Amino acid sequence: MKIPGTEDADLFYASFTNDGTIWFTANLQERGLGGEDIWFSQFENGQYIDPINAGENVNSPRGEFNGAISRDGSFLIYTTTGRTPVNSGDLWIAFRNAGGAFEPAKNMGNLVNTESLEYCPSFSPDGNILFYTSRRPLLGTAINKLADLHKIHNSCGNGQSDIYWMRFNPENYRY
């Protein structure tokens, strides 16, 4: 399926709501707020319609990417480098109000975010577990020989991205 108005753009990190709406990251140049933004396109009459920018309560003049929308479309978790506070890229959550517009996004805090990049959120099928990737370094192994370097390179916690998970209730982030 094609999404109108995206023919010359790279689209990535798609997620879907129960009604078939696709949410994705793209740099749609003059249509966006700056850099990569989170967009969505509704599925109507057997085709996707022109994409809609998730708006300034989600997107910023810098970069937003890797958004995961809840199955019911009530909230979105994504990575941004364009909001304060931010480390090298944090996970933020934005809830939709009764009218369908996003409320201002909130940083998910230090239970999820570190000074390293956190990205690629996704949910278990029941929505009770949040998965995400982090580049947080956990190893403190001294490097005395080449074998030490190989061991670190091939280990979890080496700062080159690992997958984390946590039990998740979005209501805990409505602060």
Side-chain angles (χ1 to χ4, degrees):
M1 296 252 149
K2 293 184 179 182
I3 300 173
T6 65
E7 293 80 6
D8 295 329
D10 291 328
L11 296 109
F12 60 97
Y13 212 79
S15 66
F16 295 85
T17 56
N18 288 332
D19 67 2
T21 300
I22 184 172
W23 292 74
F24 58 92
T25 301
N27 184 344
L28 297 181
Q29 305 292 329
E30 69 281 348
R31 296 176 61 193
L33 297 181
E36 295 171 338
D37 284 341
I38 306 294
W39 298 81
F40 65 95
S41 178
Q42 296 168 318
F43 194 69
E44 294 181 2
N45 300 317
Q47 60 187 3
Y48 285 102
I49 62 171
D50 284 338
I52 299 168
N53 189 287
E56 63 186 16
N57 284 340
V58 171
N59 294 311
S60 74
R62 293 201 49 201
E64 285 72 34
F65 52 94
N66 296 354
I69 191 75
S70 62
R71 299 293 292 170
D72 66 0
S74 64
F75 66 92
L76 173 73
I77 297 177
Y78 63 99
T79 301
T80 183
T81 59
R83 297 199 176 271
T84 303
V86 72
N87 295 301
S88 64
D90 283 349
L91 291 181
W92 286 61
I93 188 167
F95 291 92
R96 292 173 100 176
N97 61 30
F102 281 105
E103 298 170 0
K106 299 169 184 160
N107 187 296
M108 292 187 70
N110 62 8
L111 290 177
V112 174
N113 294 313
T114 66
E115 291 191 18
S116 299
L117 174 65
E118 276 73 41
Y119 60 107
C120 293
S122 63
F123 308 105
S124 61
D126 64 6
N128 292 326
I129 297 177
L130 171 67
F131 298 93
Y132 62 96
T133 304
S134 177
R135 288 193 177 165
R136 64 188 72 173
L138 300 175
L139 297 175
T141 305
I143 301 173
N144 297 314
K145 54 189 175 201
L146 184 59
D148 295 337
L149 183 61
H150 285 289
K151 180 180 178 183
I152 290 171
H153 178 72
N154 294 317
S155 299
C156 294
N158 64 10
Q160 298 301 309
S161 299
D162 292 307
I163 298 172
Y164 292 81
W165 68 273
M166 60 185 272
R167 298 216 179 276
F168 178 70
N169 179 348
E171 294 306 313
N172 292 341
Y173 292 90
R174 278 197 192 267
Y175 48 86

